[in-house]
Amino acid sequence: MTRSRRRLVALAAATTLALAATAGPASAEVPPDAPEQLRNGDFSAGVSPWFSYGTGDLAVTDGRLCTTVAAGTANPWDAGIGQDAVPLISGAEYELSFDVSATPGAAVKAVLQLGSAPYTTYASVDATATSTARHVTTTFTSPADNAGAQLIFQIGGSAQAQTFCLDNVSLRGGEAAPPYEPDTGPRVRVNQVGYLPGGPKHATVVTEATGALPWQLRSAGGAVVASGETTPRGTDAASAQNVQTVDFSAYRTPGTGYTLTVDGETSHPFDISGTLYDRLRADSLQFFYAQRSGIAIDGDLIGAEYARPAGHLGVAPNQGDTDVPCQPGVCDYTLDVRGGWYDAGDHGKYVVNGGIATYQLLNAFERTKTAETADGGAALGDATLRVPERGNAVPDVLDEARWELDFLLRMQVPAGEPLAGMVHHKIHDKNWTGLPLAPQDDPQPRELHPPSTAATLNLAAVAAQCARLFAPYDADYAARCATAAKTAYAAAKAHPAKYASASDGTGGGAYDDTNVTDEFYWAAVELWLSTGDKAYLADVTASPLHTADVFTPNGAFGWQSVAALGRLDLATVPNTLPAAEKTRIRASVTAAADRYLAALDDQAYGMPTPGTADAYVWGSNSNMVNNAIVLATAFDLSRDAKYRDGAVQSADYLFGRNALNMSYVTGWGEQNAHNQHSRIFAHQLNPDLPNPPAGSLAGGPNAALQDPYAANLLAGCAPMFCYVDDINSYATNEVAINWNSALAWLASFLADQGDAGAVPAPTCAVAYTTHGSWPSGFTTQVTVRNTGTTAVNGWTLRWAFTGGQKVSHAWSAEVAQTGATVTAKDLSWNRKLAPGASTTFGLNGTGSATPNPDPTLVTLNGKACTVS
């Protein structure tokens, strides 16, 4: 469930300005016991944390770090070996030394520099490397403070191919780094945003005490409004802290500025409100607009500080995404692949990550057709979000998803070409760029990377979703999506083992995946749900994943593991599976949710993931959210409040109930992450740039410490402490579309829960029966019965079609349709339904050439009925 390693480095001397800034070493005297500032300079620990660009793979050979450089690189800085997060202190004296060799022989330059524009050089030394290793040493006085400088060995610019080797690389001087101590604030850890009135309310207390402690809940005015005793929990494995927990769920009075006091410590303030998360739904989705490629970002929509010109449309210095060639040897055509979302902190666009992110936005909308609490999708409808397409009679969340869908469709190999119908895995810069760098200022050439089976199946799946969800709003676009999905699926079956290379990580992440069984399953599910074609259903049922447990403990799903997406959709999207099969599939979802609830109960910080180090990986926050989504889906299916409460409690961790006492969502909570790794939102490096917009989710703790900044700072950290809110830590603090798509889904669910009160029993029953269906239409009869104890005086029924069905005529009710949503209202003669009474109405419709399953959700005056 880990993300591809993404070595997002600043290229040494990538501009003429960096060369002009080069300065000779200053006189310095470095004592023999000066501290070492580089890591693994003798390469006894392998390659990490060294990186390279413009070279072959790095390898340790005979104890030396070696790589190759192809002949004919134009400039010395076109290829390099480096290490990030090198600390320098202004005025301190340093000695840089290394052994270097090159075969047949070439110039090399070592540069200590600012690792981002303008790449200011602090010190440099030139050498001529030959096949015999040469020892090079220089001393200098640092002209600046920089806790995250960069050492680069520039090894390009030779007319001949070269093999370079380094050994005994050392930078001594300055001061030994002091132990890092994060500011964790008060020892009482709460959801700093707040709690829903009827929902769970838990907190965690860090304390040396082993016996129960008294707690007090205080109002903003200081009055004690509730009290009780904590529950000792012992040592929490993920944080290595002795902790106790507080449960104040019984207190339900809305208000602002509450605090919780335990053991002489008072928490950050928080609210109790049924509207806590309403704005988070829009905030989490605005991230996608801010990440758009190929369009000018309108500051009037999301804030003037985020306004910028369109990126990658071929306006200098961009080389553009409108006519992109392949990597050498991959293809002989170019494609217009403009648009889409920048994937994460760089300017790359990746189909497999775009696929799951698009799915989650589409699924957040599709949930509104089947979830009682979603109010028919009103909060995701047209003119509800901050997108430029608002007011076009299409739900805004679909407009946002379409921006990426259009890009994904453009990545498909054209007809008549080898591998026609397959999909290119990714498109990004030829070489890594540094931070900060606005999209419109990126000068790097762009390249299409080889098609892959995984990317092709991602398009097949989300384009199939597109076909059914866009059908009521844009039939032509839905048809285009359907054609692309079928073409992609057929191409993937013809080429089932085209895998992205794990070594294709220069200029962008590799996103390699050599097991695509899950992608085949997911795509077949989506195609069957949208087309009803029995061939796709045969592939679904033939897959070993169809009956397997596809929900893993550390993360139910992710870009590399998508079988659970198919399972969730089979469980929730109306379809024609036999009743027993539907029951089995839904039971598999609730069984997974039960396991996540057990994990949540076992965690003193209340997360639905294990407390082991392997749960704290790259993007751990999104894995936790995805498990919460399974809990939320189990609630939608079962109406059992324990699953809703589990999903609601899971959000507490995101908003401050964690070891670091930090909200991982920008702009949400007293202490929140705001220095996420991003070239666009790089305020930490350039005060003229903004932080990420409110609602941006940080990746979260990563016990593997897969970037040098985190590795230097956090060595030996307990898993939950393996995070730092610093732009240099891309492995713990990056933003990414698939992390924010998870947050957006959960935020929409949370906002839909209102005060999270008791779930009422249904007081109505609906029999929905389609008596006839033919290629152009259908006839349906609906009977609604009052099963409650009081009369219904005026009724409105609501349900949604799965695709492009349209009501053409109705009788015995006033029937209207907006998009896929149908409303049926009483007439004067059948307005009143006494307890036990029923009434029947009928309708004719068109569009039954696509599947026309019975709806699973029908509401009466906004409350769900049992449906048969």
Side-chain angles (χ1 to χ4, degrees):
M1 297 295 296
T2 58
R3 234 176 119 72
S4 275
R5 173 168 286 191
R6 303 163 60 81
R7 291 185 284 229
L8 307 187
V9 302
L11 297 184
T15 68
T16 55
L17 177 58
L19 292 177
T22 301
S27 175
E29 294 185 7
V30 180
D33 61 348
E36 177 62 57
Q37 304 297 346
L38 297 179
R39 297 176 62 242
N40 192 28
D42 63 359
F43 311 110
S44 59
V47 169
S48 181
W50 296 89
F51 62 82
S52 68
Y53 64 92
T55 73
D57 292 340
L58 291 177
V60 177
T61 305
D62 296 329
R64 302 174 299 162
L65 183 70
C66 298
T67 192
T68 58
V69 179
T73 51
N75 303 294
W77 55 87
D78 288 342
I81 301 171
Q83 185 172 135
D84 278 331
V86 180
L88 296 176
I89 299 172
S90 179
E93 298 173 329
Y94 296 87
E95 179 185 76
L96 173 65
S97 62
F98 54 91
D99 297 337
V100 62
S101 63
T103 304
V108 63
K109 183 173 189 173
V111 183
L112 269 161
Q113 66 175 22
L114 178 68
S116 59
Y119 305 103
T120 305
T121 296
Y122 305 131
S124 66
V125 60
D126 294 283
T128 300
T130 66
S131 57
T132 300
R134 177 186 176 190
H135 184 70
V136 180
T137 184
T138 187
T139 59
F140 65 96
T141 300
S142 176
D145 286 319
N146 189 337
Q150 189 177 71
L151 172 64
I152 293 289
F153 291 91
Q154 297 178 3
I155 55 177
S158 174
Q160 297 177 287
Q162 300 284 343
T163 297
F164 282 91
C165 294
L166 292 169
D167 201 2
N168 302 317
V169 186
S170 172
L171 178 68
R172 295 186 306 107
E175 298 176 359
Y180 172 66
E181 291 290 339
D183 179 7
T184 56
R187 290 184 287 106
V188 182
R189 311 290 160 77
V190 297
N191 181 328
Q192 296 169 24
V193 176
Y195 300 87
L196 302 178
K201 302 176 190 70
H202 296 271
T204 303
V205 184
V206 181
T207 177
E208 294 181 358
T210 56
L213 297 167
W215 59 262
Q216 298 86 35
L217 178 67
R218 297 180 184 272
S219 68
V224 176
V225 297
S227 60
E229 284 197 341
T230 62
T231 300
R233 299 293 294 267
T235 300
D236 174 62
S239 65
Q241 298 168 320
N242 187 72
V243 294
Q244 301 195 26
T245 54
V246 177
D247 183 352
F248 57 105
S249 302
Y251 187 80
R252 300 187 172 205
T253 304
T256 61
Y258 287 103
T259 56
L260 189 66
T261 300
V262 191
D263 198 23
E265 293 273 319
T266 299
S267 72
H268 288 303
F270 55 86
D271 298 343
I272 298 177
S273 170
T275 60
L276 281 178
Y277 297 111
D278 288 6
R279 185 169 59 86
L280 182 62
R281 182 183 352 232
D283 278 3
S284 57
L285 286 166
Q286 81 174 350
F287 174 81
F288 294 91
Y289 177 55
Q291 289 284 112
R292 283 193 191 186
S293 176
I295 186 175
I297 303 303
D298 185 350
D300 289 340
L301 285 174
I302 62 171
E305 65 270 36
Y306 298 103
R308 59 172 171 82
H312 297 97
L313 285 184
V315 178
N318 277 176
Q319 299 193 33
D321 286 354
T322 57
D323 193 30
V324 181
C326 286
Q327 287 179 307
V330 171
C331 74
D332 59 3
Y333 52 81
T334 63
L335 291 181
D336 175 359
V337 291
R338 59 194 154 84
W341 302 313
Y342 298 119
D343 175 74
D346 62 303
H347 300 138
K349 300 185 292 190
Y350 308 86
V351 170
V352 294
N353 220 38
I356 188 171
T358 304
Y359 164 85
Q360 289 193 296
L361 265 62
L362 293 174
N363 187 256
F365 174 74
E366 190 152 41
R367 173 185 170 269
T368 68
K369 298 183 176 189
T370 59
E372 176 183 358
T373 60
D375 192 27
L380 290 171
D382 189 26
T384 60
L385 303 177
R386 300 185 282 274
V387 295
E389 297 86 0
R390 61 201 328 266
N392 64 353
V394 176
D396 285 349
V397 68
L398 293 187
D399 286 323
E400 190 58 72
R402 182 168 179 165
W403 194 260
E404 180 74 2
L405 279 164
D406 285 345
F407 158 71
L408 297 175
L409 292 168
R410 293 182 183 116
M411 291 288 280
Q412 195 162 29
V413 177
E417 300 288 349
L419 302 179
M422 294 286 283
V423 177
H424 288 276
H425 196 71
K426 56 181 183 168
I427 177 259
H428 56 64
D429 292 336
K430 183 176 182 180
N431 289 304
W432 286 112
T433 56
L435 291 81
L437 184 64
Q440 69 271 15
D441 297 330
D442 178 12
Q444 278 285 322
R446 307 279 275 178
E447 292 181 331
L448 288 167
H449 292 248
S452 72
T453 305
T456 304
L457 290 166
N458 267 260
L459 175 65
V462 296
Q465 273 185 295
C466 163
R468 63 178 181 266
L469 293 177
F470 276 88
Y473 307 101
D474 188 335
D476 290 341
Y477 188 66
R480 179 185 170 200
C481 284
T483 298
K486 295 172 187 177
T487 300
Y489 190 76
K493 293 191 79 171
H495 306 283
K498 291 277 184 188
Y499 303 133
S501 170
S503 63
D504 187 12
T506 299
Y511 285 91
D512 52 301
D513 185 358
T514 57
N515 181 358
V516 295
T517 307
D518 52 325
E519 281 86 359
F520 270 110
Y521 178 68
W522 175 36
V525 167
E526 301 297 349
L527 278 159
W528 177 66
L529 290 173
S530 291
T531 68
D533 190 325
K534 293 181 179 179
Y536 297 124
L537 179 59
D539 286 352
V540 169
T541 56
S543 171
L545 294 171
H546 188 54
T547 53
D549 181 5
V550 296
F551 299 100
T552 55
N554 292 350
F557 48 86
W559 66 264
Q560 205 172 30
S561 180
V562 295
L565 307 183
R567 182 71 59 82
L568 291 172
D569 278 4
L570 284 176
T572 57
V573 178
N575 61 68
T576 57
L577 284 174
E581 182 73 340
K582 288 181 183 178
T583 299
R584 180 190 68 80
I585 288 169
R586 291 171 180 170
S588 74
V589 176
T590 55
D594 287 335
R595 296 195 297 271
Y596 295 149
L597 281 180
L600 184 148
D601 291 339
D602 190 52
Q603 299 297 303
Y605 280 105
M607 304 97 67
T609 50
T612 52
D614 61 357
Y616 291 87
V617 296
W618 202 319
S620 62
N621 281 343
S622 72
N623 287 345
M624 191 279 294
V625 175
N626 286 337
N627 283 7
I629 288 171
V630 175
L631 288 166
T633 304
F635 170 67
D636 287 342
L637 290 170
S638 69
R639 305 178 83 248
D640 190 329
K642 70 179 181 180
Y643 299 124
R644 178 199 63 196
D645 291 351
V648 170
Q649 186 176 340
S650 297
D652 295 347
Y653 171 82
L654 290 183
F655 296 112
R657 189 190 171 200
N658 54 59
L660 286 165
N661 203 7
M662 169 178 283
S663 168
Y664 289 111
V665 181
T666 303
W668 284 76
E670 293 291 311
Q671 180 180 345
N672 59 76
H674 53 271
N675 292 316
Q676 288 100 321
H677 180 90
S678 169
R679 282 158 176 74
I680 304 174
F681 312 120
H683 179 79
Q684 188 178 1
L685 298 176
N686 181 350
D688 292 333
L689 298 175
N691 289 122
S696 301
L697 178 65
N702 179 0
L705 299 179
Q706 289 167 282
D707 66 70
Y709 187 87
N712 284 342
L713 192 69
L714 305 175
C717 54
M720 207 184 293
F721 280 101
C722 296
Y723 169 85
V724 58
D725 182 26
D726 192 286
I727 197 169
N728 294 294
S729 182
Y730 50 84
T732 77
N733 200 37
E734 195 171 11
V735 290
I737 55 174
N738 62 312
W739 303 341
N740 247 75
S741 62
L743 177 64
W745 197 105
L746 182 61
S748 189
F749 174 86
L750 294 172
D752 286 343
Q753 302 317 305
D755 65 4
V759 180
T763 58
C764 54
V766 168
Y768 184 99
T769 307
T770 298
H771 290 288
S773 184
W774 52 94
S776 61
F778 60 95
T779 296
T780 294
Q781 180 174 286
V782 180
T783 298
V784 55
R785 182 166 60 90
N786 179 2
T787 60
T789 57
T790 60
V792 174
N793 190 9
W795 52 265
T796 299
L797 258 60
R798 183 177 67 198
W799 70 89
F801 291 131
T802 56
Q805 302 97 315
K806 298 286 187 182
V807 174
S808 57
H809 175 66
W811 56 94
S812 299
E814 181 182 334
V815 179
Q817 183 173 352
T818 301
T821 301
V822 180
T823 56
K825 295 185 178 181
D826 60 77
L827 301 178
S828 59
W829 58 269
N830 61 3
R831 175 179 177 82
K832 189 170 183 178
L833 294 176
S838 63
T839 189
T840 298
F841 63 92
L843 58 93
N844 291 327
T846 60
S848 65
T850 56
N852 188 32
D854 295 347
T856 56
L857 173 70
V858 181
T859 63
L860 171 63
N861 297 339
K863 302 297 183 181
C865 303
T866 57
V867 180
S868 61

